[in-house]
Amino acid sequence: MTREEANSRIAELRSILEENARLYYVENSPRMSDYEYDQLMHELEALEADFPEFASPDSPTRKVGSDLETGAVSREFVQRPHRYPMLSLGNTYSISEVEEFSARADKTLNTSFTYCCELKFDGTAICLTYRHGRLVQALTRGDGVVGDDVTENARRIANIPQQLHGDYPEEFEIRGEVLMPYAAFDHLNELRVLDDEQPFANPRNAASGSLKLLNPDEVAQRGLWCTLYHIPAQSIDFESHDQALTAAASWGLPVSTDRRICRNIDEIKAFIDHWDVERKNLPYATDGVVIKINEMAYQRMLGYTAKSPRWAVAYKFKAEQALTPILSIDYQVGRTGAVTPVANLEPVLLSGTIVKRATLVNEDQIRALDIHEGDYVYVEKGGEIIPKITAVELSRRRPGAPVPGFPTVCPDCGTPLVRQEDEAKWFCPNSDGCPMQIKGELLHFTGRKAMDILAGEATVDQLYNLGFVRTPADLYDLTLRQLTSLEGWKEKSAIRFRTSLDKSKSVPFERVLFALGIRYVGETTAKTVARHFGSIDALIAAGEDDLKEVPDVGDVCARSIYEYFRDERHLLEIERLKAHGLQFSLEHQGGALSNALEGKTVVISGTFSISRDDMKALIEKHGGKNSGSISGKTSFLLAGNKPGPEKLKKCEELNVPVLSEEAFMALLPESADTFASEESVEQLSLF
Ligand code: IVH
């Protein structure tokens, strides 16, 4: 290798490693395995040793204890089930809804009771388990049912005790929030900016990102803080919530003293008014007040809805606002062709971060807000990272300032924009020719949650601009020669790219379906739809009514899926992707258990001794196909507990056999064989 080649390879490696460390630590979305990362790091170390003249103090090989250190721990956390589901709280921004909450409680309980009012801490939820006074487990919320085991990281949070004292119960759970105080947040972001790294958008993201770092030493340096506010009633027995928290504090646990027992709505309102102002003096972020019925007996009487307790409500403070002028408006075209106006603002500080851009949502919103060019506007941060414009300060409008004209043609390809009656957005209809849309679709397809192919914006741009790629299937046709001809690409980068394409061929069907980018089919819908139909062929054959049977699929989504598959070009693309070996059915995923159901199309109805998803997976693992609706092609209906009467009727009409769960199980090889290996049982439980 010549000096020149070494120099350019060193630069390439440094940038790949730095970019991946950023994806890994900041976005929690690394694009390469530990192994690949380590290989590249070793290659860089060797080159720097051979060519010491190119060594540099900020090379990733020199950064010890920084974000670039992968640490010895595995990249992924072990997931564990919560003993009691981690629910969320009913939220409101209106005092009248708090009044209604209190009136409902009065009516249901019909006796005197108290409220415990607390701050709503704005961090990331955590669930701690103590056994014999020792911290034994810390789980994140996860999906509420299963969380990430972050015990080792929680041990490094300064105010979480490892050992309790006093009269603690033998074993209990306590829940709360991990926060990053403003001082630690500012310090962390300063360091990140100095290191040319993306700062965190807010303390909440910084707290959750830090809790999920893989190196506990790193977590220890992040200055996280914990405050605990809930002991599940099943965990220990106290007369009131307030007593439970007082007891927890006496065992050494961090419990906020900023809470108050209130007896009526007026006292609740006084608590809210006090903290709406006073919270600005707290060292960490809070976003509201939580009002809980204090007596445990009454909490039990009120119980829970599927999502949240009926004995508590969160009143959220209005988001902070900033006033700043609009400098210009950009019109962005998304992958679906939707045009979104985005305002470029005079940079302004808002809740600890600088805001430069804000979404104007759509044309109606521009009109509703009555935006004129150069207007001073109020910006707020909603749940999204991109802030929203909420109002115009009319007193500062320039006389004669014109109303901005919404473009009539696509800012990218010049095609006249269209707006359907029931749509709030203008669309560029040129879905096959508009570069922004095509690139957006490709980027969606390669995304981490979709096919996870090593192609970010820059690569997609390159491939598109050279005319190499127009549709996802083109990616799989790329030759090594084409790839190595790309500017900045070497054989190694081409091979890495091709390896990621090969790997993507085992990405499960549900993610392939998501990757296709059908409108209204997000990650979750793709999952339910994939499991419901089992294969792309069954999905293509489905009518709108069949689609509507899928939970979460409403009329609009059903129509969108149905129409997607009526487009020849989409069917052709799917055929090409199929030919490349992508997963278009659940059938071939995971190890098959037998072919006892080969050629059988099964419809299931009702509930079983295992979950419905597990039952469908079981059918597939024995070679059968799942279908959502009864037709002449159905081999049998597998009827569990409370099967749908419509389905039973249809079976009778079409003479389709109905099997009980027991009869069905008898069709399968001996159950000992069915669950022959632990591996297959594990695979099943993944569904
Ligand atoms: S009680 C069963 N108390 O806000 C309900 N939650 O938006 C247990 N939160 O899920 C939660 N401060 O992550 C409770 N004082 C507080 C809280 C609090 C913040 C979080 C928590 C909850 C979310 C709901």
Side-chain angles (χ1 to χ4, degrees):
M1 189 181 260
T2 66
R3 277 186 83 243
E4 250 165 38
E5 281 169 349
N7 196 8
S8 97
R9 179 66 182 154
I10 285 174
E12 187 185 25
L13 285 170
R14 284 179 187 161
S15 101
I16 295 174
L17 290 168
E18 272 158 13
E19 169 64 358
N20 197 65
R22 191 188 67 76
L23 288 170
Y24 172 36
Y25 284 101
V26 182
E27 301 193 6
N28 240 317
S29 61
R31 290 226 160 176
M32 58 173 81
S33 67
D34 273 8
Y35 177 77
E36 285 169 305
Y37 183 90
D38 292 342
Q39 293 295 95
L40 295 178
M41 184 67 92
H42 289 151
E43 192 192 341
L44 180 59
E45 281 164 2
L47 281 174
E48 286 179 353
D50 289 347
F51 299 92
E53 64 271 40
F54 299 133
S56 149
D58 33 75
S59 167
T61 54
R62 303 275 185 99
K63 292 198 181 174
V64 180
S66 79
D67 275 354
L68 288 175
E69 197 181 48
T70 48
V73 241
S74 102
R75 268 198 182 172
E76 285 186 1
F77 292 97
V78 176
Q79 298 207 316
R80 297 194 198 283
H82 287 292
R83 184 173 297 175
Y84 320 108
M86 253 176 118
L87 302 176
S88 70
L89 291 172
N91 275 340
T92 176
Y93 285 91
S94 98
I95 287 285
S96 65
E97 284 186 23
V98 177
E99 284 168 355
E100 281 167 27
F101 163 81
S102 146
R104 257 197 320 273
D106 272 337
K107 197 169 160 214
T108 315
L109 299 175
N110 195 21
T111 178
S112 80
F113 61 92
T114 59
Y115 302 92
C116 183
C117 294
E118 301 166 6
L119 287 167
K120 181 162 164 19
F121 304 96
D122 196 10
T124 183
I126 193 147
C127 175
L128 306 176
T129 304
Y130 283 86
R131 193 175 300 135
H132 305 300
R134 284 204 67 75
L135 175 67
V136 290
Q137 181 173 275
L139 297 184
T140 63
R141 177 199 302 279
D143 62 4
V145 179
V146 177
D148 281 338
D149 186 332
V150 290
T151 313
E152 289 317 307
N153 286 352
R155 291 191 197 288
R156 311 301 294 273
I157 296 176
N159 70 334
I160 294 186
Q162 302 286 324
Q163 176 68 52
L164 304 181
H165 50 73
D167 185 20
Y168 49 76
E170 193 173 301
E171 180 167 345
F172 67 99
E173 273 192 21
I174 185 160
R175 296 174 175 182
E177 209 83 353
V178 169
L179 305 161
M180 184 172 289
Y182 291 122
F185 173 71
D186 291 342
H187 178 65
L188 175 65
N189 270 356
E190 268 168 35
L191 291 181
R192 295 183 82 83
V193 172
L194 283 178
D195 283 347
D196 241 355
E197 289 170 288
Q198 184 83 19
F200 283 106
N202 53 46
R204 186 193 334 116
N205 286 6
S208 79
S210 302
L211 187 61
K212 295 259 190 100
L213 282 171
L214 292 164
N215 182 349
D217 290 340
E218 186 79 4
V219 180
Q221 290 163 20
R222 290 273 167 109
L224 293 173
W225 201 247
C226 180
T227 180
L228 300 168
Y229 47 63
H230 177 61
I231 303 185
Q234 308 92 318
S235 199
I236 41 175
D237 202 18
F238 276 95
E239 223 168 86
S240 76
H241 169 71
D242 183 59
Q243 281 173 13
L245 291 189
T246 304
S250 78
W251 307 325
L253 287 161
V255 175
S256 167
T257 49
D258 294 329
R259 62 182 198 274
R260 204 181 134 184
I261 302 299
C262 295
R263 281 162 302 171
N264 52 46
I265 187 74
D266 291 333
E267 289 182 8
I268 295 174
K269 284 185 196 167
F271 184 85
I272 291 175
D273 289 344
H274 171 78
W275 282 109
D276 201 357
V277 178
E278 204 48 42
R279 73 191 179 109
K280 295 187 178 117
N281 298 321
L282 289 171
Y284 41 70
T286 54
D287 59 344
V289 158
V290 181
I291 302 127
K292 301 174 180 171
I293 306 290
N294 188 31
E295 292 77 16
M296 302 309 288
Y298 299 147
Q299 283 194 6
R300 273 191 287 274
M301 276 173 73
L302 290 166
Y304 292 80
T305 69
K307 278 199 242 153
S308 51
R310 284 202 191 86
W311 46 259
V313 70
Y315 171 81
K316 296 193 52 167
F317 296 127
K318 296 252 168 4
E320 268 183 70
Q321 294 192 325
L323 185 63
T324 189
I326 294 183
L327 302 176
S328 61
I329 299 176
D330 289 339
Y331 295 88
Q332 292 182 341
V333 186
R335 74 178 160 89
T336 58
V339 179
T340 305
V342 178
N344 295 305
L345 307 166
E346 174 95 37
V348 63
L349 189 70
L350 178 61
S351 320
T353 50
I354 304 279
V355 173
K356 294 183 193 139
R357 280 159 75 75
T359 177
L360 277 162
V361 189
N362 56 37
E363 186 184 18
D364 291 351
Q365 179 74 353
I366 296 183
R367 307 283 170 250
L369 291 168
D370 184 29
I371 303 262
H372 287 227
E373 284 178 16
D375 268 354
Y376 272 79
V377 290
Y378 289 97
V379 278
E380 250 178 39
K381 281 192 195 155
E384 309 295 317
I385 301 270
I386 304 183
K388 272 198 287 201
I389 293 181
T390 54
V392 171
E393 180 50 62
L394 290 174
S395 67
R396 299 186 73 170
R397 176 169 291 166
R398 258 186 306 119
V403 173
F406 204 88
T408 51
V409 298
C410 172
D412 198 37
C413 70
T415 306
L417 299 179
V418 293
R419 183 173 166 180
Q420 239 103 61
E421 247 176 52
D422 50 351
E423 298 273 8
K425 293 211 170 211
W426 284 93
F427 280 83
C428 165
N430 183 18
S431 54
D432 295 317
C434 175
M436 290 252 247
Q437 286 184 60
I438 298 176
K439 288 192 266 186
E441 275 169 14
L442 289 166
L443 214 55
H444 172 76
F445 184 85
T446 59
R448 192 175 57 91
K449 293 187 169 170
M451 304 304 287
D452 198 13
I453 294 166
L454 271 179
E457 221 169 311
T459 304
V460 165
D461 264 351
Q462 268 183 317
L463 294 169
Y464 177 85
N465 294 342
L466 288 169
F468 288 173
V469 175
R470 286 288 178 271
T471 75
D474 295 340
L475 290 167
Y476 295 89
D477 285 335
L478 287 167
T479 61
L480 271 185
R481 182 190 285 268
Q482 281 176 316
L483 290 170
T484 45
S485 74
L486 297 175
E487 202 187 317
W489 284 58
K490 296 272 158 53
E491 201 178 311
K492 271 205 174 156
S493 23
I495 291 175
R496 271 198 324 119
F497 177 73
R498 286 283 294 266
T499 311
S500 81
L501 279 174
D502 285 342
K503 266 200 204 154
S504 77
K505 292 179 185 172
S506 44
V507 160
F509 174 42
E510 60 205 39
R511 274 173 53 197
V512 179
L513 187 59
F514 170 63
L516 292 180
I518 305 171
R519 265 190 95 188
Y520 306 111
V521 180
E523 245 184 299
T524 318
T525 311
K527 216 176 261 180
T528 31
V529 170
R531 288 178 191 174
H532 186 91
F533 291 96
S535 73
I536 198 89
D537 295 334
L539 182 56
I540 293 172
E544 271 185 71
D545 285 341
D546 301 326
L547 286 159
K548 282 186 218 159
E549 274 189 23
V550 185
D552 303 339
V553 174
D555 293 0
V556 178
C557 180
R559 172 128 280 249
S560 161
I561 299 176
Y562 180 77
E563 289 194 339
Y564 181 90
F565 293 116
R566 303 283 94 52
D567 185 331
E568 275 300 319
R569 287 165 306 184
H570 293 148
L571 298 178
L572 200 73
E573 175 73 6
I574 288 166
E575 282 312 312
R576 286 181 65 204
L577 292 171
K578 260 189 189 170
H580 281 293
L582 272 66
Q583 301 290 325
F584 278 104
S585 77
L586 297 175
E587 233 167 282
H588 303 297
Q589 286 166 208
L593 295 175
S594 83
N595 55 4
L597 301 176
E598 203 169 293
K600 301 261 187 295
T601 302
V602 186
V603 176
I604 70 168
S605 186
T607 56
F608 302 93
S609 59
I610 57 178
S611 78
R612 286 171 55 87
D613 283 342
D614 281 353
M615 186 55 97
K616 285 186 191 167
L618 188 65
I619 291 167
E620 276 155 18
K621 280 176 183 289
H622 286 280
K625 244 189 198 171
N626 285 291
S627 162
S629 53
I630 313 272
S631 72
K633 291 192 196 136
T634 310
S635 310
F636 59 86
L637 173 79
L638 169 52
N641 218 347
K642 298 206 181 130
E646 285 298 313
K647 286 214 166 82
L648 289 173
K649 207 170 118 206
K650 196 109 192 238
C651 284
E652 211 174 289
E653 278 166 24
L654 297 175
N655 237 341
V656 171
V658 179
L659 265 63
S660 67
E661 181 173 348
E662 221 181 342
F664 167 75
M665 288 298 180
L667 290 181
L668 307 182
E670 281 289 283
S671 54
D673 289 335
T674 309
F675 298 102
S677 67
E678 275 195 20
E679 190 193 30
S680 42
V681 173
E682 247 170 49
Q683 277 173 357
L684 268 177
S685 62
L686 287 177
F687 282 87

